[in-house]
Amino acid sequence: MAADRHSIAVEAFDALAAERELHLQPVVFVEPPQYATYTGMRSFVVFGESGSGKTALRLALMRQAMPPNAPPTHLVVHWQPDPVEGIKGSPAVRIFVRQALETCATTLLTTCAHYPRLFHDAPPTAQTFTHWFIQAYTGDDRPHLLAIIEEAMTAEEGMLLARRLITDPAALVLYPDVAEQRVIALLTGTLQRMGMRGVWVMVDGFEPWLRSAASGLSDLLTAILSTLELFDLNGFAIKMFAPRSLEPVITGSWGAVKGRVDLFTLSWTPEHLTRITERHIAAKIGRPQATFGDLCAAEREVRAWLQRYGGSTPRGWLKLIRPLVDAFLASGASQPLSHAAWRAVWRTHPPRLFIDLTTDRVFIGDAEVSGLQPRPYRLLRYLYENRARRVPRSELYYCAYQGFAEEPRVHDDRGWEDPADWNNVLDNALLRLRKIIEPDPRHPIYILTDRGWGVKLENTQ
């Protein structure tokens, strides 16, 4: 048990990715709004930004359906569809259905190996179908699957059952050209006679595809969600966890239009985000029920900092609080950090400023900055585009504030003004910009003035 606690403490705040923090998830997971809806037999798609907790939600549903030291309540299948080049429409649908059934067969085999009583206590007809289904949909991969199971298993009963299901000849239950819908109907009925409620097919991990094959991914999702074969049967549900950028594609699919699949957006309140963050803190420092106040005497300022710059995702808040946790542990973790220590942390580890130059959206940390008027924004954008250098004040005034294509150099140049006339104008514009951007405008960390040299934008992404 001590080793498990040590593992959890090491994982907390390291990867900030649920799939890489499996031991940590049962400890830190917080149920999002509408969680009970996700646990039913309806098919759904949950949309969320990167870091919003989609994978954590999937893992929580899997834990619920596969409780420790008890047989599973559902056959939980983690399916990663493989894109098929140049194939669309009905042929693509059949390929994807076949992929899903192959994954179901593999999962059913490993489930029977881990819980052999599910198989042995089932009626003979359920055993016969299970045997046929596994052999029909595992194909040439059966020897490899058996080797993996034998390496992982220690119980003799499970290994013997797995070997039997893979190697013994299976009775012919259905012909090879049978409709997939018929196979799915028999599968769900068999699972129910084995004591399970049905199949949950979990689909996650789209982000890498978006970076490499976005158009192919759109075709794949349209094909999967536009077939009714996977959605029309009781006891079979697809639970998909998708980036927000895929929402237009999925919303327009046949399954969504016809109401065969429910659509949700994963969102968190500040109260939920506080609970998630504090649970990570508790796991990291080894103190159950730890709060922000256990880390730092400036608890109110820490909360305001997180709400201002952490955005609306758990990962945004966790990234922002991580330097404070590190500082607390480095101090010996015996008492909360002082206000002065907190100020030192946020000044040395500020959230990064980023501008999406194609959309003119400004972000600090994971939160979008609002309230920027055109001229302050032009100043900020110009500094951002030239963030590798100090920008002379005259250049900033003429090229950013005034919007000139080039800076007038001498009195006779068009648009030239006496510096005495515009110095205060620029100072006031920078002050207004700092009030929007800076945590403490009197002690800026982003827009820094170097007397005699100019202005430079720091702590950017």
Side-chain angles (χ1 to χ4, degrees), residues 136-320:
Y137 287 92
T138 51
D140 297 335
D141 206 30
R142 290 200 296 271
H144 178 63
L145 290 173
L146 181 58
I148 293 175
I149 291 173
E150 289 180 337
E151 287 178 2
M153 294 288 297
T154 57
E156 175 114 6
E157 184 181 11
M159 284 191 289
L160 290 174
L161 177 59
R163 193 173 298 122
R164 171 188 161 193
L165 292 173
I166 285 179
T167 60
D168 288 0
L172 181 61
V173 176
L174 296 171
Y175 290 106
D177 59 350
V178 67
E180 289 87 352
Q181 192 171 31
R182 174 65 174 158
V183 177
I184 294 172
L186 286 176
L187 172 61
T188 57
T190 295
L191 293 175
Q192 289 162 6
R193 284 182 287 163
M194 293 173 70
M196 289 180 273
R197 297 172 192 166
V199 183
W200 283 357
V201 179
M202 305 284 198
V203 188
D204 192 8
F206 291 109
E207 278 79 3
W209 292 4
L210 285 174
R211 292 190 289 269
S212 60
S215 61
L217 178 57
S218 297
D219 292 340
L220 181 149
L221 291 173
T222 300
I224 292 175
L225 294 173
S226 294
T227 177
L228 302 184
E229 289 176 312
L230 298 183
F231 303 116
D232 271 354
L233 297 171
N234 292 329
F236 194 94
I238 285 187
K239 300 182 182 293
M240 189 177 291
F241 306 84
R244 288 291 299 274
S245 59
L246 294 175
E247 189 168 357
V249 174
I250 292 175
T251 302
S253 69
W254 182 276
V257 170
K258 294 298 182 181
R260 303 294 181 180
V261 57
D262 294 329
L263 305 180
F264 302 100
T265 298
L266 187 57
S267 60
W268 302 93
T269 65
E271 292 73 23
H272 282 100
L273 292 169
T274 295
R275 287 164 58 197
I276 293 170
T277 306
E278 290 184 336
R279 287 189 183 184
H280 278 78
I281 292 170
K284 185 68 175 180
I285 70 177
R287 295 185 191 175
Q289 311 302 321
T291 67
F292 297 139
D294 293 304
L295 282 186
C296 180
E299 179 178 3
R300 182 179 299 177
E301 289 85 345
V302 171
R303 290 180 182 274
W305 179 262
L306 289 168
Q307 292 192 36
R308 182 174 181 181
Y309 298 117
S312 58
T313 68
R315 186 181 296 165
W317 281 48
L318 295 173
K319 284 192 303 185
L320 206 56

Side-chain angles (χ1 to χ4, degrees), residues 423-436:
N423 265 319
N424 285 339
V425 174
L426 182 61
D427 286 337
N428 288 332
L430 289 172
L431 178 60
R432 289 193 297 272
L433 181 57
R434 286 192 177 106
K435 286 181 178 179
I436 296 173

Side-chain angles (χ1 to χ4, degrees), residues 85 104 233 299 445:
E85 291 290 336
C104 288
L233 297 171
E299 179 178 3
I445 56 176

